Amino acid sequence: MMGLVEHRMEVQKIDEEILRLIQKRMALAEEIYRDKAALGLSISDPDQEALVLSRAVDMATELGLDPGSIKSIFRILIDMSLQRQHGLRGEDNLP
C-alpha cells in the first residue's frame, strides 16, 4: 500500500507528463500556424475553438470530471496556442 510520499511522487510524475503533453500541443500549434499561413487563414477560428471545448466537456462528463473546470483548462490551452501563433506572426498580444 502506498503512503503519502509515494502518492505525491506519483502526482509529480503525472504533472510532468501533463507538462510534456502541453509542450507537444504547443509544438502542434506552431505547425497549425504554418498550415493556416500557407492557406491564408486567420489565426482565430471560433468554430474550431468551440469544437475543442465541446469535445473536452463531453469527455470530462464521460470521465466523471467537472466539465466547468475542464472547460476552463482547455480555454487556457486554446489561448496559449493562439498566443504562440500570434507570436510566430510577430505580434506580442492577441488582438
Side-chain angles (χ1 to χ4, degrees), residues 5-53:
V5 171
E6 291 83 9
H7 284 119
R8 286 181 173 166
M9 288 175 62
E10 196 64 24
V11 167
Q12 180 180 344
K13 288 178 189 175
I14 292 168
D15 289 347
E16 290 169 2
E17 253 182 87
I18 291 168
L19 289 168
R20 283 189 193 92
L21 289 171
I22 291 171
Q23 187 280 328
K24 189 174 180 178
R25 194 179 198 285
M26 291 303 106
L28 283 171
E30 292 181 14
E31 295 300 321
I32 290 169
Y33 167 75
R34 290 190 237 310
D35 293 340
K36 287 176 181 177
L39 295 169
L41 299 175
S42 172
I43 287 174
S44 180
D45 185 346
D47 291 339
Q48 178 63 21
E49 293 170 25
L51 179 62
V52 170
L53 291 173

Side-chain angles (χ1 to χ4, degrees), residues 62-82:
E62 289 175 23
L63 295 173
L65 299 170
D66 176 47
S69 295
I70 296 301
K71 185 174 183 178
S72 295
I73 291 167
F74 273 79
R75 183 73 252 171
I76 290 168
L77 291 171
I78 290 168
D79 288 346
M80 287 174 66
S81 295
L82 293 172

